[in-house]
Amino acid sequence: MATQKIDIFKTPILFHRADHAGTLFLLNKPCIPSHSRANSFSINRPKPQLQRKYKNIVRAGYVLDKAKAVETGGTRLSIPVKATVTVKSTNIEDYLSSLVGIFNRGFDDIIDLLGKSLLLELVSEDLDPKTGSEKKPINGYAHLTGQKDGEVIYESEFVIPGDFGEIGAVIVQNEHRTETYLKHIVLNGFPNGPIEFNCGSWVEPKFVNPDTRAFFADKSYLPSQTPKGLKSLREKDLVSLRGNGTGERKYSDRIYDYDVYNDLGNPDSNPELARPVLGGSKQYPYPRRCRTGRPPSKNDPKSETRSGTFYVPRDEEFSEVKNRSFVITIAEAVFNAILPLLESVLTATDRVFPSFTTIDQLYDQEAPITKLKNSGSLRSSVARCVSAVSDAIDEIIQFETPEMLRKDQFSWLRDEEFARQTLAGTNPYSIKLVTEWPLRSSLDPDVYGPPESAITTELVEREIKDFMTVEEALQGKKLFIIDYHDLLLPYVSKVRQIKGTTLYGSRALFFLTPDGTLNPIAIELTRPPMDGKPQWKQAFNPSLEATGLWLWRFAKAQFLAHDSGYHELVSHWLRTHCATEPYIIATNRQLSGIIEISFSPSKYSMELSSVAYDQLWRFDREALPADLINRGIAVEDPTAPHGLKLLIEDYPFANDGLILWDALKQWVADYVNYYYKDASMVQSDTELQAWWTEIRTRGHGDKKDEPWWPVLQTPEVLIGIVTTIAWVASAHHSAVNFGQYAYAGYFPNRPTIARINMPCEDPTGEGWKRFLDNPDSELLVCFPSQIQAMLVMAVLALLSSHSPDEEYIGEHMEPTWGEEPAIKEAFERFSTRIKELEKIIDDRNKDASLKNRGGAGVVPYELLKPFSKPGVTGEGVPYSVSI
């Protein structure tokens, strides 16, 4: 298709491929919001980067406006046309930061004065009837005419011959010494109205890259409808996006290519920092990342060297607004200011908090910015993320009070809140129905010990005897589980060799009570045979007896550390960022250190996510309804809302998510069905088929032969694919990302690491006595150390923040949609439904009968409210995975 960037969720544009003229494809901004919307795709990655992030991906085809020359008396006359080019103004500070910048600024000013800033070439969509080749473009320089509201205006005048045909593209060459962000081009003077080109892309100066850039008009059309005069130009543009698989990527590149994750370690710095390559092997299957082409490591040729910068296709970089916003300010504060400060204050990385009072002193609800020693840039950098630094606590940092702690500082101790957060917290994707009893492991008993679970029928019935038997609970579908036992158990012995951390295979069992809430029944922790010791396992229950109560709290801390790791590595990173990256790369090609330090799996964290990808990830189960059915949380019911009946009726994430899913799917269906009238149109769209083939065989090449991949033969299948990608990049990501600081900013509620074993595992006399004498001190030793906790708190504040220029689902219509009345109306219906969801969520949160959504001291569930103010708000669904 002609041109347009991929926004999987925001602007349902059509998929914009790189090897053919574009296919029609609705996909708003699926990954990372960026501000480029040209015939290019983009990926945003701020520096320093915490996690890969990518921009939206959706390709849009277009139908050009039939702008013809005026005809008089049978003779076609030439038409005078004015081209108005709008460019984003560049901050002068960026120029003056170096002598080269000063020189370039002066050179660019001279070029503007000479009136030769941008060379434009207008391209006809028709072939020359005499030669059968493309018509020669009409050239002209655009000169500077004015500047207003952060935009620079250039103009150029053309005379279009009467037989030139319809203008389908503009070729641009940047005559400056510095790159230019081209926003849009408008051609005025045609009898049928202006022709618009929404570019949204950086154009390199010809001194850096002599290749010109092509921008196509704003309408949508199928590849088979691509005007003959534009086909070769479109193909050239798509080829430039794919690259040739060689060379190291430069900052200014717009190339989307695939590679394995071979840059996770740093073996040249320290052999202990070597990490396995993820992807391309049966042992470590993984999605592909965007290729960077850095030199190989000296000590491990299979790995790439690492540098202080990360390649991101130029149009995917954060916008200037976002770069200068508090999100990046926070990142810089964390890495450039907070960490050196912490390392100087906390002399040992394993220093624990001496008391819960000390933890409370990390937060300040008043949030004044007090005087900082040697503050300088530190003060301004830390101000957004950190509320204050107190001289009285020897410069220990104070953070903004998380919403959960602000509402009820003791809620983290309540079992009801522990259970509620499995449905309405930051990881609502793990709980599932118990379908087999008794519980048992599927791992090799010769290696990992007896498979039978320590959670027995007798143990469970002691907890639910006032309601029913275990058999009745199973039949009534009242038992639910979060089970990381078999996923984690193979890593226990490895992780325990690392100082300052421990690990168990774990699972937690819950009972659905008559009032619709969950009660935790038991937590099982297992250690496999190791170090000459047999398997150890024990099930822990809530208890009123002192020792049992404290052991239960320890077991919750262990399990929550596992859940936090799974949430960050799988529910968040793997399923949204990592699995989505291939969609973005394929769309552009075919359609027009903290984790290891602070999480329990430690240096095996990324390796563990590869195991999860191998065992758990399936594209056909990433759609919300399919996910709920797969976890046994819902059953198909044509008479129920959304066609599903939830077994846990008060499941905030699922209830809000299904409304959003239905609205999104209807919007996608309206869009796809408008262009693809029947199955033959889908099957014959070569770009569309190549896009889907590339996602399966290259982006997810390690799973390319799986039988569950949808076969793209009908509009209905296309609608399902696009809706799934859009859902993952928007609502799924929002549900697991933007509530992190609210729930885990107070780390006792969701510790990311457990540092010592359970007191009852092979207890020594001295260790057991310490536990009995002072159990809260032992629990503090189990929690993250001071530097680990503050590192995670700062990062979670970053991840949970919305940029001031965030783009939210259903908020703005793309220019191309407005060109087609049917698409415009469809989007307006979608936008109305999204706005209605805001009120529905507010009303649900006021309903006292929905106990999982709110109550005294409970954080209301707002993570799927579509819109948000900037900052850490616990709400808002951006079009794409922006952070």
Side-chain angles (χ1 to χ4, degrees):
M1 113 180 186
T3 153
Q4 209 73 356
K5 177 179 42 196
I6 247 183
D7 290 1
I8 246 193
F9 223 66
K10 172 191 172 187
T11 337
I13 301 181
L14 303 174
F15 280 78
H16 155 179
R17 291 181 29 149
D19 51 29
H20 299 346
T23 283
L24 264 184
F25 213 97
L26 169 95
L27 249 174
N28 269 352
K29 299 192 165 182
C31 289
I32 260 182
S34 111
H35 290 272
S36 59
R37 221 175 253 131
N39 322 324
S40 61
F41 159 70
S42 22
I43 295 179
N44 292 319
R45 202 170 283 148
K47 300 180 245 181
Q49 161 150 340
L50 302 178
Q51 297 202 350
R52 278 186 163 63
K53 35 188 140 327
Y54 284 83
K55 190 175 174 175
N56 321 338
I57 59 184
V58 199
R59 163 168 95 68
Y62 67 90
V63 182
L64 288 178
D65 210 2
K66 304 297 182 182
K68 298 182 178 179
V70 177
E71 297 186 26
T72 304
T75 302
R76 291 182 128 190
L77 303 179
S78 297
I79 298 178
V81 171
K82 176 186 285 187
T84 302
V85 182
T86 303
V87 170
K88 184 172 68 174
S89 177
T90 304
N91 194 310
I92 191 170
E93 294 177 3
D94 296 337
Y95 284 107
L96 302 183
S97 60
S98 67
L99 290 176
V100 173
I102 294 173
F103 169 79
N104 288 338
R105 173 74 182 203
F107 183 89
D108 291 352
D109 288 343
I110 294 173
I111 292 296
D112 286 343
L113 288 173
L114 295 175
K116 294 187 175 183
S117 306
L118 300 169
L119 176 61
L120 307 182
E121 299 181 27
L122 307 187
V123 181
S124 172
E125 65 176 32
D126 298 337
L127 297 176
D128 188 317
K130 296 180 180 180
T131 66
S133 58
E134 290 85 1
K135 292 184 177 181
K136 183 179 179 180
I138 302 174
N139 300 343
Y141 282 102
H143 60 277
L144 177 67
T145 61
Q147 192 166 352
K148 183 179 179 182
D149 299 330
E151 295 180 341
V152 181
I153 308 300
Y154 296 87
E155 293 181 352
S156 181
E157 295 184 355
F158 300 87
V159 176
I160 310 299
D163 61 352
F164 188 71
E166 301 163 8
I167 296 176
V170 177
I171 296 174
V172 179
Q173 185 162 61
N174 179 8
E175 302 288 328
H176 290 121
R177 286 281 181 179
T178 56
E179 63 179 357
T180 296
Y181 186 80
L182 193 60
K183 298 185 72 172
H184 48 79
I185 302 171
V186 180
L187 303 181
N188 287 293
F190 295 102
N192 292 341
I195 300 179
E196 298 183 5
F197 302 79
N198 279 280
C199 307
S201 184
W202 290 97
V203 179
E204 293 178 278
K206 70 177 184 180
F207 305 99
V208 175
N209 184 351
D211 294 337
T212 56
R213 289 287 307 282
F215 296 93
F216 301 86
D218 278 357
K219 299 270 184 160
S220 300
Y221 56 75
L222 293 172
S224 60
Q225 300 167 338
T226 303
K228 294 181 179 179
L230 302 180
K231 283 188 175 181
S232 64
L233 183 63
R234 180 57 182 161
E235 176 62 23
K236 179 181 177 182
D237 184 60
L238 294 172
V239 168
S240 71
L241 290 171
R242 291 197 295 265
N244 58 12
T246 63
E248 183 173 359
R249 297 279 68 82
K250 304 187 302 294
Y251 171 78
S252 58
D253 284 346
R254 298 169 53 247
I255 294 177
Y256 301 82
D257 201 357
Y258 297 95
D259 206 347
V260 294
Y261 280 81
N262 59 357
D263 60 346
L264 299 173
N266 191 0
D268 289 347
S269 173
N270 185 337
E272 291 295 318
L273 297 179
R275 297 292 181 269
V277 174
L278 302 187
S281 68
K282 291 184 178 180
Q283 184 179 9
Y284 299 117
Y286 218 54
R288 299 303 189 262
R289 67 177 177 92
C290 190
R291 181 183 176 276
T292 53
R294 290 168 292 193
S297 162
K298 295 178 181 178
N299 293 331
D300 181 9
K302 294 182 180 179
S303 297
E304 277 191 1
T305 54
R306 299 180 61 176
S307 62
T309 59
F310 296 85
Y311 168 69
V312 175
R314 184 63 182 99
D315 287 339
E316 300 302 328
E317 289 282 352
F318 275 142
S319 68
E320 189 171 288
V321 171
K322 184 168 289 189
N323 262 324
R324 298 180 186 279
S325 74
F326 66 90
V327 174
I328 297 303
T329 300
I330 292 171
E332 292 173 347
V334 170
F335 289 95
N336 300 334
I338 294 180
L339 294 187
L341 176 62
L342 290 178
E343 289 171 348
S344 66
V345 173
L346 311 177
T347 56
T349 57
D350 60 352
R351 181 174 173 182
V352 303
F353 289 94
S355 67
F356 283 94
T357 300
T358 308
I359 296 175
D360 293 342
Q361 289 174 338
L362 291 174
Y363 310 96
D364 180 9
Q365 294 191 28
E366 297 300 323
I369 304 298
T370 58
K371 182 178 179 181
L372 301 177
K373 296 179 179 179
N374 301 319
S375 57
S377 62
L378 172 61
R379 176 171 178 169
S380 60
S381 298
V382 177
R384 293 278 188 174
C385 167
V386 178
S387 295
V389 175
S390 171
D391 294 334
I393 315 178
D394 192 23
E395 292 187 319
I396 288 292
I397 295 170
Q398 288 186 305
F399 292 82
E400 294 180 6
T401 304
E403 185 72 0
M404 179 186 164
L405 182 62
R406 186 185 65 79
K407 283 183 168 290
D408 181 355
Q409 61 179 321
F410 301 113
S411 60
W412 70 279
L413 290 169
R414 294 191 294 110
D415 291 340
E416 295 82 0
E417 179 64 14
F418 164 58
R420 189 191 74 86
Q421 288 181 30
T422 66
L423 305 174
T426 194
N427 185 27
Y429 271 99
S430 286
I431 193 163
K432 59 184 180 181
L433 179 71
V434 175
T435 57
E436 296 182 359
W437 193 266
L439 302 174
R440 59 186 291 118
S441 171
S442 61
L443 298 175
D444 186 350
D446 292 335
V447 177
Y448 299 104
E452 293 79 15
S453 172
I455 302 178
T456 63
T457 298
E458 294 74 23
L459 182 151
V460 175
E461 289 191 340
R462 287 200 303 269
E463 298 296 320
I464 67 172
K465 61 183 178 182
D466 293 337
F467 299 99
M468 59 189 71
T469 65
V470 166
E471 184 176 354
E472 291 170 337
L474 292 168
Q475 292 177 351
K477 298 183 178 180
K478 303 296 184 182
L479 291 180
F480 296 85
I481 193 169
I482 298 178
D483 196 342
Y484 304 132
H485 186 277
D486 287 6
L487 180 66
L488 297 180
L489 199 61
Y491 284 87
V492 171
S493 61
K494 298 178 182 179
V495 169
R496 288 194 175 197
Q497 296 175 25
I498 302 171
K499 180 183 177 182
T501 188
T502 190
L503 192 65
Y504 292 94
S506 65
R507 51 172 65 107
L509 187 69
F510 302 87
F511 175 70
L512 182 62
T513 67
D515 68 357
T517 61
L518 292 176
N519 276 353
I521 299 301
I523 292 174
E524 179 182 10
L525 302 175
T526 303
R527 178 201 69 199
M530 56 179 291
D531 300 332
K533 299 177 182 178
Q535 181 196 71
W536 178 90
K537 69 176 66 165
Q538 188 168 335
F540 300 88
N541 300 86
S543 177
L544 297 177
E545 178 266 328
T547 301
L549 172 63
W550 277 102
L551 287 175
W552 170 247
R553 288 174 176 169
F554 267 83
K556 281 202 299 184
Q558 297 281 350
F559 174 79
L560 284 167
H562 307 159
D563 188 61
S564 294
Y566 183 90
H567 159 258
E568 206 66 76
L569 294 168
V570 180
S571 300
H572 184 198
W573 160 250
L574 174 64
R575 293 181 64 178
T576 65
H577 292 266
C578 186
T580 301
E581 188 157 344
Y583 311 152
I584 300 168
I585 300 172
T587 295
N588 282 271
R589 289 167 51 87
Q590 295 302 333
L591 298 176
S592 314
I594 289 183
I595 292 290
E596 291 194 359
I597 296 173
S598 306
F599 286 81
S600 284
S602 190
K603 70 178 185 178
Y604 299 103
S605 293
M606 294 301 293
E607 182 179 325
L608 186 63
S609 72
S610 170
V611 174
Y613 176 72
D614 183 32
Q615 297 179 4
L616 305 174
W617 190 87
R618 291 176 48 159
F619 180 85
D620 62 328
R621 292 178 178 172
E622 290 301 289
L624 177 61
D627 170 76
L628 295 171
I629 292 170
N630 177 58
R631 290 190 282 126
I633 298 294
V635 293
E636 293 186 77
D637 182 351
T639 66
H642 320 292
L644 293 179
K645 178 182 179 181
L646 293 174
L647 300 184
I648 303 176
E649 294 182 3
D650 184 13
Y651 187 174
F653 160 71
N655 282 312
D656 296 353
L658 285 169
I659 294 177
L660 204 159
W661 169 270
D662 281 358
L664 175 61
K665 186 175 182 180
Q666 185 60 57
W667 160 226
V668 174
D670 289 343
Y671 193 90
V672 169
N673 288 331
Y674 179 80
Y675 293 101
Y676 295 93
K677 306 300 184 184
D678 53 41
S680 64
M681 297 183 74
V682 173
Q683 296 165 15
S684 63
D685 187 335
T686 54
E687 283 194 6
L688 183 66
Q689 295 298 329
W691 167 78
W692 183 235
T693 297
E694 185 170 294
I695 284 176
R696 292 181 290 108
T697 62
R698 296 198 63 186
H700 287 276
D702 296 333
K703 287 181 174 280
K704 62 183 174 60
D705 297 322
E706 297 288 355
W708 41 254
W709 284 104
V711 179
L712 184 50
Q713 295 290 303
T714 66
E716 290 73 23
V717 173
L718 176 58
I719 290 166
I721 290 171
V722 175
T723 306
T724 298
I725 295 174
W727 164 265
V728 170
S730 58
H732 177 150
H733 178 260
S734 295
V736 300
N737 182 69
F738 292 108
Q740 292 190 83
Y741 191 73
Y743 286 106
Y746 183 68
F747 67 87
N749 182 62
R750 285 187 66 79
T752 57
I753 192 170
R755 303 178 63 249
I756 61 172
N757 298 339
M758 290 292 293
C760 54
E761 181 194 337
D762 301 331
T764 64
E766 181 181 351
W768 186 250
K769 184 177 185 302
R770 283 200 310 271
F771 165 69
L772 294 178
D773 288 347
N774 204 338
D776 60 340
S777 294
E778 289 298 289
L779 184 59
L780 288 166
V781 175
C782 184
F783 281 158
S785 68
Q786 293 190 18
I787 194 168
Q788 288 171 331
M790 284 186 262
L791 243 180
V792 170
M793 288 158 60
V795 171
L796 294 185
L798 163 66
L799 296 177
S800 302
S801 297
H802 288 294
S803 168
D805 64 345
E806 197 83 85
E807 299 177 49
Y808 296 98
I809 184 172
E811 189 175 23
H812 299 296
M813 181 183 298
E814 287 295 305
T816 53
W817 303 340
E819 298 294 332
E820 294 290 347
I823 298 301
K824 180 181 178 182
E825 292 174 8
F827 177 79
E828 288 172 347
R829 290 193 298 270
F830 172 63
S831 181
T832 297
R833 187 56 175 152
I834 290 300
K835 291 172 183 175
E836 290 172 350
L837 179 57
E838 287 263 318
K839 185 176 186 304
I840 291 172
I841 291 176
D842 287 338
D843 291 343
R844 285 175 170 177
N845 288 339
K846 295 174 184 176
D847 188 341
S849 68
L850 301 177
K851 296 181 173 59
N852 293 324
R853 299 195 70 98
V858 173
V859 177
Y861 190 75
E862 299 180 324
L863 290 173
L864 293 181
K865 291 186 71 172
F867 312 113
S868 173
K869 298 178 294 185
V872 179
T873 64
E875 56 188 48
V877 181
Y879 274 130
S880 62
V881 180
S882 56
I883 192 167

